[in-house]
Structure formats: C-alpha cells, structure tokens
C-alpha cells in the first residue's frame, strides 16, 4: 500500500512530525544541560504523542484507501482476511 497524503492531511501529518522533531531536539538539549528529570520526561511524552498522532493519521488514510480498494474490487491481490491482518499489524505497531 502506497502512502497517499494530500492537501490538509499531508500538511497536518508534516506539522505533527515537525513538532515532534522540535520536541526531540528539545529533549536532547535538556539532557545535555542537565535539566530536571520531570521536565525532560514531560517533553519526551509530548514528542511521543505527536509521533503517535502522525502515525494514526497515516493509518487512517491507509484505511480509507483499503476500503476504497475493497469497494472497487482492487485489493492488490489480497483477500479480506489478509488485508485485515496487515492493518491489524499496523495498528499494533503504534500501540
């Protein structure tokens, strides 16, 4: 399955990834500066949430494509059970 993000979806995912990138840079800087553990963990949790949200947005887009493929009979040679198993693995990879 190819990643096909467009318009607002693409902008949203990229913004979340850039936010996470900035937060991770902040975490590195905070560790190097010897900042308080609670502050570091709070910033790290924020970066993790941003990455999770980007991942979920990408999976949601993939689900839309899969549903469209099933409805049009173009499921890339996969039967419904194979597609379900593949999507389940994607969801679990973010859990």
């Amino acid at each position: 399955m190819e990643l096909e993000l467009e318009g607002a979806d693409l902008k949203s995912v990229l913004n979340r990834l850039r936010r996470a990138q900035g937060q991770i840079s902040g975490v590195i800087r905070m560790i190097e500066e010897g900042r308080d553990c609670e502050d570091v963990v709070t910033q790290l949790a924020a970066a993790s949430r941003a990455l999770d949200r980007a991942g979920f947005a990408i999976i949601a887009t993939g689900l839309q494509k899969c549903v469209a493929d099933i409805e049009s009979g173009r499921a890339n040679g996969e039967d419904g059970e194979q597609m379900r198993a593949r999507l389940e693995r994607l969801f679990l990879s973010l859990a």
Side-chain angles (χ1 to χ4, degrees):
M1 175 181 359
E2 293 181 19
L3 179 61
E4 295 179 10
L5 293 174
E6 297 176 354
D9 291 333
L10 176 62
K11 184 177 180 179
S12 175
V13 167
L14 290 175
N15 284 340
R16 289 183 192 283
L17 291 172
R18 287 186 183 108
R19 183 177 307 126
Q21 183 179 34
Q23 290 166 327
I24 291 169
S25 294
V27 168
I28 292 169
R29 189 171 45 258
M30 292 169 78
I31 292 170
E32 291 173 342
E33 294 170 356
R35 297 273 299 271
D36 180 67
C37 178
E38 187 176 343
D39 294 339
V40 172
V41 170
T42 299
Q43 190 70 12
L44 192 56
S48 179
R49 283 190 305 274
L51 288 171
D52 287 345
R53 288 179 170 256
F56 289 133
I58 290 169
I59 288 176
T61 300
L63 281 174
Q64 286 177 314
K65 182 179 180 343
C66 289
V67 169
D69 285 349
I70 289 170
E71 289 175 353
S72 67
R74 296 180 288 115
N76 297 325
E78 288 182 320
D79 65 25
E81 183 62 26
Q82 289 171 320
M83 186 173 290
R84 187 204 58 78
R86 187 163 48 91
L87 292 172
E88 184 178 330
R89 283 191 304 273
L90 282 173
F91 275 112
L92 290 173
S93 71
L94 290 173

